[in-house]
């Protein structure tokens, strides 16, 4: 039976909704980043995809914070990761969390110290400043690079889940997150 909280055999409803909902939103976010990187400036598809990048990125930032808090509250009852492979998987998950936080944080920090300010779906969050705060802009220099690194880790994560656990090992790791028994 589906539980709200995580249990040692499976992730609960809240962790699953956050995992799969955010997986979809991250796909849309990387589509917008790829459009910016690969298409010409005047391209209509590029404009459309890029138009939601900051709002969706800020949404993901809030969701990452909620997911992190929920994950910490559930640490004692989460599915365990034992052995060397388990420790590597855990390290991979932690690295994904760190980047899921840092990538949007660096750009939001830059906006907080910028002359343009920041609005979330039209709601003012950070007012425009008269002068830019220089140090707040620096971490954003690595926003794009860290974003692509996050995409690489996610690709590795998906390969491990589907190819390693689903096809080669045929263990129950996928079912912890997908439902099953
Ligand atoms: C988890 C959320 C986010 C992800 C995965 C992400 C990912 C990326 C990636 C991969 C790029 C590089 C695109 C290229 O190579 O042309 C990029 C660029 C950019 N992003 Fe994000 N982003 C996120 C959140 C945000 C937020 C919250 C903002 C603004 C508040 C933002 C603003 C920008 C801007 C202005 C650029 C172009 C300049 C640069 O590369 O730093 N992003 N983003
Ligand atoms: C087709 C896509 C995906 C599949 C099949 C998949 C599969 C899984 C599975 C089976 C687990 C549980 C692993 C375990 O218990 O050791 C898991 C956990 C996790 N996944 Fe994914 N995943 C996908 C996409 C993503 C994406 C896009 C992200 C990040 C943006 C992500 C981040 C995580 C994290 C951080 C965990 C650790 C549990 C948590 O704190 O939520 N996954 N994934």
């Amino acid at each position: 039976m589906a539980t709200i909280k995580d249990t040692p055999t499976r992730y609960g409803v809240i962790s699953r909704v956050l995992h799969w909902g955010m997986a979809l939103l991250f796909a849309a976010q990387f589509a917008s980043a790829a459009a910016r990187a690969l298409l010409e400036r005047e391209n209509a598809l590029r404009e459309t995809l890029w138009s939601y990048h900051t709002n969706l990125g800020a949404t993901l930032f809030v969701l990452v914070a909620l997911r992190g808090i929920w994950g910490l509250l559930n640490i004692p009852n989460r599915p365990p990761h034992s052995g060397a492979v388990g420790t590597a998987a855990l390290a991979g998950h932690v690295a994904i969390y760190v980047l899921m936080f840092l990538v949007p944080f660096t750009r939001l920090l830059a906006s907080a110290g910028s002359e343009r300010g920041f609005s979330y779906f039209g709601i003012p969050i950070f007012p425009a400043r008269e002068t830019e705060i220089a140090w707040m802009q620096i971490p954003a220099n690595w926003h794009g690079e860290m974003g692509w690194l996050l995409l690489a880790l996610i690709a590795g994560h998906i390969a491990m889940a589907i190819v390693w656990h689903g096809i080669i090992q045929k263990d129950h790791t996928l079912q912890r997150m997908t439902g099953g028994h």
Side-chain angles (χ1 to χ4, degrees):
M1 207 190 72
T3 49
I4 298 285
K5 291 178 98 179
D6 301 340
T7 70
T9 48
R10 50 194 284 172
Y11 292 90
V13 173
I14 293 185
S15 294
R16 285 166 190 227
V17 168
L18 285 168
H19 179 270
W20 295 113
M22 286 173 67
L24 281 179
L25 296 180
F26 267 102
Q29 186 69 347
F30 283 112
S32 76
R36 181 183 188 277
L38 302 174
L39 300 175
E40 298 292 326
R41 261 177 190 280
E42 305 75 40
N43 188 297
L45 178 64
R46 182 189 196 269
E47 295 308 308
T48 308
L49 292 175
W50 186 250
S51 64
Y52 61 71
H53 188 87
T54 55
N55 281 329
L56 180 55
T59 305
L60 279 165
F61 181 70
V62 174
L63 290 174
V64 168
L66 293 176
R67 181 171 170 180
I69 293 167
W70 184 249
L72 287 175
L73 289 174
N74 278 274
I75 275 190
N77 43 304
R78 281 206 145 183
H81 293 87
S82 48
V85 177
T87 307
L90 203 58
H93 292 166
V94 171
I96 291 177
Y97 265 105
V98 169
L99 285 173
M100 286 196 298
F101 175 81
L102 282 180
V103 171
F105 175 77
T106 50
R107 267 282 153 212
L108 289 168
L109 181 73
S111 315
S114 78
E115 289 164 330
R116 292 178 62 191
F118 177 71
S119 296
Y120 180 63
F121 290 105
I123 304 160
I125 305 289
F126 302 128
R129 292 181 175 274
E130 279 189 13
T131 45
E132 185 180 273
I133 301 178
W135 70 265
M136 290 170 92
Q137 311 305 316
I138 296 170
N141 289 331
W142 295 285
H143 172 80
E145 283 78 1
M146 287 194 298
W148 294 126
L149 179 60
L150 173 60
L151 181 62
L153 288 186
I154 292 172
H157 170 74
I158 295 173
M160 286 304 285
I162 294 177
V163 180
W164 175 253
H165 290 292
I167 298 173
I168 299 176
Q169 293 289 100
K170 292 193 176 65
D171 58 22
H172 293 303
T173 306
L174 263 174
Q175 281 82 347
R176 290 168 162 189
M177 196 53 101
T178 55
H181 41 243

